[in-house]
Amino acid sequence: MHVTKPAVPALTLLALTALAGCGGGGGATTAASTTVASPQGVYQGSFSTGGTHNTLVLENNQFYTLYGSTVAGAFTVEGFLQGNGQANGGSFTATDVRDATAAGQLLAGSLSASYTASNTLNGTLTEGSNTVTFTSSAVAASVYDYNAAANLNDIAGTWSMTSLRGYANTFSIAASGAFTATSGACTFSGSFKPRASGKNVFDVSMTFGPAPCILAGQTLAGIGIDFMLNNGKRQLLVAGLDANRSSSAAFFGAR
């Protein structure tokens, strides 16, 4: 999300604005130096610029924020934030935020927030000299149960997906989680693996084939999340970065 532009509806860190009918709860682990539990879980809220967001904080304090808009009941990804946070006594900070845009940019930023575990996450996002504030509250488990293990049966099969850059893709996901994908003459493959923590998140890896793939020969890693929409369809969201956090990709689709 460019903080210099009006914020668009956002999908927070593996959470989902489309989850306005679909996502999140939070686990709780005790920080060593405080009685305040970690911010782990899924939060939904708004930016001072007017946009909304959903944020997923994982058990290791890594987070993803997918932002975009809801079209025909499904979420359209327009970019995502990723960072590695530190939680301490109700304070959550990250100095290494990357903002992956639809134009292929990776903008550097930082985040400073306060939290009450599985309840609220409020703070500021800064990119250069531009800052936006945000407020959010935890998504009800009845909408998206973060504490339930991810289920490969829910995503196995064929998906018509759209990339962050706007290209159509077909994903074929096996029962094992291995997948192959095509976008025109570009082919790539990888895997979805239920997160070892038992949370409702897939660890995703993807390796792109040669040109004409935009990310020819590159391997990215990140997360995948799926959830039921109010219209009875299931949505799948995927976001990842390469090891140097200099290349990004995201995909979204519903079936």
Side-chain angles (χ1 to χ4, degrees), residues 5-248:
K5 299 170 63 177
V8 294
L11 192 69
T12 282
L13 268 140
L14 299 198
L16 321 145
T17 281
L19 288 193
C22 303
T29 56
T30 302
S33 60
T34 176
T35 58
V36 178
S38 85
Q40 179 182 184
V42 177
Y43 302 82
Q44 186 178 75
S46 61
F47 293 105
S48 57
T49 45
T52 61
H53 75 86
N54 292 269
T55 295
L56 166 72
V57 183
L58 296 168
E59 73 286 341
N60 60 1
N61 289 323
Q62 183 180 89
F63 65 91
Y64 286 79
T65 299
L66 288 78
Y67 56 86
S69 57
T70 300
V71 178
F75 189 74
T76 297
V77 178
E78 296 173 0
F80 69 92
L81 309 174
Q82 190 274 332
N84 298 284
Q86 293 186 343
N88 184 13
S91 173
F92 186 71
T93 59
T95 60
D96 66 345
V97 177
R98 294 293 182 269
D99 181 355
T101 74
Q105 299 167 299
L106 274 165
L107 308 176
S110 61
L111 180 142
S112 178
S114 60
Y115 68 89
T116 54
S118 303
N119 189 6
T120 62
L121 181 68
N122 307 316
T124 60
L125 170 68
T126 301
E127 290 177 3
S129 60
N130 303 295
T131 298
V132 297
T133 61
F134 63 89
T135 58
S136 59
S137 57
V139 178
S142 59
V143 178
Y144 172 78
D145 189 357
Y146 171 75
N147 289 307
N151 188 347
L152 285 169
N153 291 332
D154 290 337
I155 63 169
T158 301
W159 292 81
S160 294
M161 306 283 280
T162 302
S163 73
L164 177 57
R165 292 172 173 82
Y167 297 106
N169 293 254
T170 300
F171 276 59
S172 297
I173 305 174
S176 64
F179 77 88
T180 58
T182 59
S183 178
C186 171
T187 62
F188 56 103
S189 61
S191 65
F192 289 80
K193 296 181 179 180
R195 195 163 178 84
S197 63
K199 302 305 181 183
N200 197 2
V201 179
F202 294 103
D203 289 330
V204 179
S205 66
M206 59 190 106
T207 299
F208 292 85
C213 292
I214 294 174
L215 301 177
Q218 297 191 48
T219 296
L220 277 60
I223 54 85
I225 191 166
D226 74 290
F227 51 94
M228 292 300 296
L229 298 170
N230 288 332
N231 60 13
K233 292 185 176 182
R234 181 171 291 274
Q235 175 138 48
L236 176 62
L237 302 170
V238 179
L241 298 168
D242 70 339
N244 295 324
R245 303 172 80 219
S246 59
S247 295
S248 63

